[in-house]
Amino acid sequence: MFRAQIKVNLKTGVLDPQGEAIKDSLHSMNFNEVNDVKVGKLITLSLEDNDREQLEKRVEQMCERLLTNPVIENYQYELVEVMSK
Amino acid sequence: MFRAQIKVNLKTGVLDPQGEAIKDSLHSMNFNEVNDVKVGKLITLSLEDNDREQLEKRVEQMCERLLTNPVIENYQYELVEVMSK
């Protein structure tokens, strides 16, 4: 079995209202050392055994066709083999 | 300057409707190698320079008081020093 952990973030320059709201809340709680907050998605997929290279292509297809919005988001992923339980 | 990257995930056993919906969509797109999908949050904080140990405590306080819901979520974080631009 494989596990893909996909980090999806807004591209630089794209407004992040959620991040802004969290920053304001943190400041109102006196966490003034916080300069900036970015909020993204963390998607973890459990995948059937397959050829690693094949799985990497498939994960990239999933990201580009469903899991991310290529216009405003970019993504990174890690693919690790895990022992089946 | 420091950067904290916080990974927030639902605790095991907590229903993940978003993950279920994504899994169904992936299956309808013939990505049948996907067994399970978990969706979490990725929060990246830019933090003023400070003593590392002190910052770790502060990040944990931010997580427990605002950034996560300790009843249904758990979190991990990495704190790295970054060169100021």
Side-chain angles (χ1 to χ4, degrees):
Chain A
M1 220 165 66
F2 280 82
R3 187 172 55 228
Q5 189 166 75
I6 305 159
K7 294 180 183 175
V8 181
N9 276 302
L10 289 171
K11 288 183 176 175
T12 310
V14 175
L15 200 64
D16 183 354
Q18 205 177 357
E20 288 300 315
I22 290 175
K23 185 172 73 172
D24 294 346
S25 300
L26 288 171
H27 284 173
S28 68
M29 299 164 79
N30 292 319
F31 291 112
N32 298 312
E33 63 266 61
V34 175
N35 287 327
D36 189 41
V37 179
K38 292 266 176 266
V39 180
K41 284 178 285 189
L42 186 65
I43 302 172
T44 307
L45 307 178
S46 305
L47 302 163
E48 276 305 315
D49 262 329
N50 206 327
D51 160 69
R52 171 180 276 274
E53 244 174 72
Q54 174 66 3
L55 272 182
E56 282 175 358
K57 276 190 201 117
R58 297 282 283 175
V59 168
E60 284 160 21
Q61 284 172 8
M62 293 182 217
C63 288
E64 276 136 32
R65 289 178 53 196
L66 181 74
L67 303 178
T68 70
N69 175 344
V71 175
I72 59 168
E73 292 172 331
N74 53 34
Y75 71 92
Q76 300 161 324
Y77 71 92
E78 285 158 26
L79 186 65
V80 292
E81 190 153 12
V82 291
M83 293 308 125
S84 317
K85 272 176 221 152
Chain B
M1 230 183 35
F2 279 82
R3 188 174 53 227
Q5 190 168 73
I6 304 160
K7 295 180 182 174
V8 182
N9 276 302
L10 290 171
K11 287 183 177 177
T12 310
V14 175
L15 202 63
D16 182 354
Q18 206 178 354
E20 287 301 315
I22 290 174
K23 185 173 75 173
D24 294 346
S25 301
L26 288 171
H27 284 174
S28 70
M29 299 164 80
N30 289 321
F31 291 112
N32 298 313
E33 62 267 62
V34 176
N35 287 329
D36 189 41
V37 179
K38 290 266 176 265
V39 180
K41 288 178 286 192
L42 186 65
I43 302 172
T44 307
L45 307 178
S46 305
L47 302 162
E48 276 303 320
D49 262 328
N50 206 328
D51 160 66
R52 170 180 277 276
E53 244 173 74
Q54 172 70 3
L55 272 182
E56 282 175 359
K57 276 193 201 115
R58 296 283 282 175
V59 169
E60 284 160 24
Q61 283 171 8
M62 293 182 219
C63 287
E64 275 137 34
R65 287 177 53 193
L66 181 74
L67 303 178
T68 71
N69 175 347
V71 175
I72 59 167
E73 292 172 332
N74 52 36
Y75 70 93
Q76 303 161 323
Y77 70 93
E78 287 157 29
L79 186 65
V80 292
E81 189 156 14
V82 290
M83 291 308 123
S84 316
K85 273 178 225 147

